[in-house]
């Protein structure tokens, strides 16, 4: 096939990573990326359904795309991702102009399905569960089109075996399956050979990585299947790949946090000093209703252990306010834990009922929207206070920064990330290529970023950065 495409991605890094595969598959099939919607023949919407506003946004965009499609014969609309997986029929009903609907386990079929539209008309293909074929589960052999050449995502696990009462992810991403250890290392090795210096290991519950692999080995009679958690080993092994300077991972689950993971973070110099540690609520009562498997005290104890094992650790989190039945007292526990945890940053959400999940049934306990909004605002104040304090405490330090490119707000300024994943703005004496490493002396801390003065260039990147795709 030939033509031009755009991919628009909603949701988390899993989806961003799937979008790289979709773009790679289309390019391998002869498509080229379009600069904008007007220049495109194919639009792929890779969707998310984690909260209700994600659904609404999608249907709004699909409405606009009808006009776009009708303007030029032969234009195609593809809907992929988690919302397609969940609501294939609604997508078809509300947007009959969609040509291809494909699920989270069908990414590898994107180009073929699109090719079939010409002869067979609109097509829907959704697998309920991942096909147990490593190439399809973890499509590392599929083409990939990455936005930047220095950084890469590596899937180590798909799906989720937890049942958090608010969460739709297990329903749309299936059971938890770990990718074989050697395959992960082999992919990291390939990336490193290609000039990648930073990898982010992806999974919904990364620190339970390998549990299923070990169980399978034991069932097969392997008495040596190691009792040690494989995630800690994986961190060390990824860091040891020649050429890798930074290893990140997201997301771990507090209930599965083990000292071995902290020790691996501390002993592997490549693993960055940043832990995303999702709290969700500070109330034990709400945590139990959510089925999170830990108490606030246990959460904080492990955080203390993490900070004492890993020097200079940055900590971020996810918190939901207004979970069904959350009282003012419950919410105050959340404020207390958030203050005690002294987060560097936090993603905060107002609870959004997702049909099919347990919490969505508790209609009588839903929290009034104004109360939830007010709690949300109070929580932001607490989080921003600790973020600012932690950022101001970095003033005067010299930090290693991985250059991302010109700042979005002011292109005369360069932006990059520290090992603690903090955004830093600075002005080098000459433009630095994305992917270069420099040191920067921090001069100012704001709640969401740092500013600093360039000190020296450590590594000049040789790869060219690709320009990010449009937004709709
Ligand atoms: N696997 C990750 C979370 C993935 S979803 C983990 O366990 O940490 C990312 C975040 O979205 C969650 O941590 C949660 O804070 C938020 N979230 C999930 N479902 C939600 C819902 N129904 N309403 C509001 N926020 C939600
Ligand atoms: Fe959702 Fe919980 Fe699984 Fe995270 S661990 S994806 S919040 S069910
Ligand atoms: Fe959204 Fe699916 Fe990720 S629901 S948050 S894109 S796993």
């Amino acid at each position: 096939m030939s033509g031009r495409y755009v991919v628009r991605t909603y949701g988390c890094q899993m989806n961003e990573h799937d979008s790289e595969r979709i773009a790679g598959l289309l390019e391998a099939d002869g498509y080229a990326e379009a600069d904008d919607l007007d220049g495109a023949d194919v639009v792929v919407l890779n969707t998310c359904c984690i909260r209700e506003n994600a659904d609404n946004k999608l249907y709004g965009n699909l409405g606009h795309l009808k006009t776009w499609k009708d303007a030029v014969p032969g234009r195609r609309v593809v809907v992929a991702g988690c919302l397609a997986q969940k609501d294939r029929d609604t997508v078809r009903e509300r947007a009959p102009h969609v040509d291809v609907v494909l699920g989270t386990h069908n990414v590898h079929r994107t180009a073929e399905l699109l090719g079939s539209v010409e002869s067979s008309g609109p097509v829907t293909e959704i697998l309920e569960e991942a096909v147990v074929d490593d190439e399809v589960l973890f499509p590392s052999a599929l083409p990939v089109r990455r936005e930047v050449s220095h950084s890469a995502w590596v899937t180590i696990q798909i799906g989720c075996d937890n049942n958090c009462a608010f969460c739709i992810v297990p329903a749309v991403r299936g059971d938890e399956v770990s990718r074989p250890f050697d395959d992960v290392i082999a992919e990291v090795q390939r990336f490193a050979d290609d000039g990648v210096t930073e990898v982010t290991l992806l999974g919904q519950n990364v620190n339970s990585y390998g549990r299923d692999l070990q169980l399978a080995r034991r069932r097969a009679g392997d008495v040596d299947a190691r009792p040690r958690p494989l995630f800690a080993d994986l961190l060390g092994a990824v860091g040891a790949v020649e050429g890798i300077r930074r290893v990140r991972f997201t997301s771990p689950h507090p209930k599965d946090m083990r000292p071995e993971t902290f020790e691996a973070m501390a002993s592997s110099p490549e693993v960055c000093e940043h832990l995303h540690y999702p709290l969700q609520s500070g109330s034990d009562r709400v945590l139990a209703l959510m089925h999170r498997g830990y108490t606030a005290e246990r959460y904080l104890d492990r955080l203390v252990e993490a900070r004492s094992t890993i020097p200079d650790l940055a900590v971020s989190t996810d918190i939901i306010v207004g979970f069904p039945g959350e009282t003012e007292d419950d919410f105050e526990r959340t404020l207390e834990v958030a203050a005690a945890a002294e987060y560097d940053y936090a993603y905060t959400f107002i609870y959004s009922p997702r049909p099919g999940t347990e919490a969505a049934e508790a209609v009588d306990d839903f929290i009034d929207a104004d109360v939830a909004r007010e709690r949300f605002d109070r929580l932001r104040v607490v989080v921003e206070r600790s973020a600012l304090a932690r950022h101001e405490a970095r003033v005067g330090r010299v930090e290693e920064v991985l250059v991302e490119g010109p700042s979005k707000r002011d292109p005369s300024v360069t932006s990059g990330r520290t090992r603690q994943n903090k955004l830093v703005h600075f002005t080098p004496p000459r433009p630095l290529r994305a992917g270069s490493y420099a040191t920067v002396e921090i001069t100012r801390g704001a709640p969401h970023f740092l500013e600093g003065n360039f000190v020296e260039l450590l590594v000049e990147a040789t790869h060219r950065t690709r320009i990010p795709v449009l937004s709709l």
Side-chain angles (χ1 to χ4, degrees), residues 12 14 49-52 160 162 164-169 203-205 251-254 276-280 292 317-321 347-354 357:
C12 66
M14 313 275 161
C49 56
I50 196 84
R51 283 168 291 274
E52 199 177 354
C160 179
N162 293 313
C164 302
F166 50 80
C167 184
I168 192 77
V169 170
Q204 293 295 353
N205 192 5
S251 290
H253 194 303
H276 186 67
Y277 192 47
L279 171 67
Q280 311 301 1
R292 287 292 289 178
T317 198
D318 292 346
I319 302 176
I320 297 176
V321 301
Y347 299 103
T348 49
F349 308 102
I350 292 178
Y351 170 73
S352 169
R354 303 285 57 212
T357 60

Side-chain angles (χ1 to χ4, degrees), residues 120-433:
S120 322
V123 55
T124 299
E125 191 177 280
I126 311 268
L127 286 172
E128 293 305 333
E129 278 296 330
V131 179
V132 183
D133 166 344
D134 287 346
E135 216 147 84
V136 176
L137 276 181
F138 306 106
S140 57
L142 297 180
V144 57
R145 183 240 187 259
R146 286 182 290 115
E147 290 298 326
V148 291
S149 49
H150 57 270
S151 229
W153 284 305
V154 177
T155 307
I156 66 165
Q157 172 194 61
I158 58 157
C160 179
D161 279 351
N162 293 313
N163 63 336
C164 302
F166 50 80
C167 184
I168 192 77
V169 170
V172 291
R173 290 276 171 172
D175 293 342
E176 195 170 299
V177 183
S178 299
R179 183 175 182 189
F181 196 100
D182 294 344
D183 287 7
V184 174
I185 302 303
E187 189 175 27
V188 173
Q189 186 71 64
R190 275 200 305 279
F191 282 141
D193 293 345
D194 203 29
V196 166
T197 59
E198 179 185 64
V199 288
T200 304
L201 309 181
L202 287 183
Q204 293 295 353
N205 192 5
V206 286
N207 46 346
S208 71
Y209 168 80
R211 209 163 34 188
D212 51 338
L213 300 176
Q214 287 187 338
L215 265 175
R217 282 174 58 189
R218 271 190 231 128
R219 275 202 206 104
D222 179 354
V223 283
D224 292 333
R226 282 184 292 175
R228 208 181 126 75
L230 270 180
F231 182 62
D233 289 353
L234 188 71
L235 278 180
V238 169
V241 171
E242 178 92 30
I244 297 298
R245 283 179 76 107
R246 289 185 172 188
V247 180
R248 302 187 181 282
F249 58 91
T250 196
S251 290
H253 194 303
K255 82 174 159 53
D256 297 313
M257 217 63 210
R258 300 273 299 259
E260 288 90 341
T261 298
F262 301 148
E263 282 152 21
M265 290 176 75
S267 63
S268 175
E270 294 80 16
V271 180
C272 289
E273 295 78 18
H274 171 222
L275 180 67
H276 186 67
Y277 192 47
L279 171 67
Q280 311 301 1
S281 170
S283 153
D284 290 346
R285 201 183 69 84
V286 173
L287 285 169
L289 289 172
M290 288 176 164
H291 309 311
R292 287 292 289 178
Y294 51 86
T295 60
E297 187 183 358
R298 204 165 116 202
Y299 175 96
L300 284 173
D301 283 351
R302 289 192 180 172
L303 188 53
V304 168
E305 191 184 330
R307 284 205 160 108
S308 66
T309 313
I310 309 154
D312 202 17
L313 182 70
V315 180
S316 56
T317 198
D318 292 346
I319 302 176
I320 297 176
V321 301
F323 183 81
E326 182 189 71
T327 63
E328 175 60 23
D329 188 57
D330 290 322
F331 174 66
E332 279 169 19
R333 300 284 85 75
T334 299
L335 291 181
E336 280 167 21
V337 177
E342 297 183 34
Y343 295 117
D344 290 78
Y345 60 91
Y347 299 103
T348 49
F349 308 102
I350 292 178
Y351 170 73
S352 169
R354 303 285 57 212
T357 60
E358 186 184 318
E361 306 288 311
V363 182
D364 294 343
D365 294 331
F366 282 3
I367 303 300
D368 178 81
D370 292 338
V371 173
R373 181 80 228 174
E374 188 249 358
R375 287 181 187 165
F376 179 86
D377 292 342
R378 281 158 70 200
L379 178 60
R380 288 297 333 155
V381 172
V382 171
V383 169
E384 302 223 338
R385 193 181 300 140
S386 64
L388 180 62
R390 290 185 64 82
H391 290 182
E392 284 179 337
R394 305 198 81 82
V395 171
R397 301 171 69 130
V398 174
E399 310 233 353
E400 182 197 86
V401 173
L402 170 55
V403 174
E404 290 184 347
S407 149
K408 284 188 193 117
R409 275 206 214 135
D410 175 359
S412 70
V413 171
T414 296
S415 299
R417 298 249 164 206
T418 67
R419 288 177 59 88
Q420 280 79 13
N421 205 29
K422 297 189 180 301
L423 187 63
V424 185
H425 303 299
F426 64 105
T427 311
R430 65 177 171 83
L432 299 178
R433 282 210 193 98

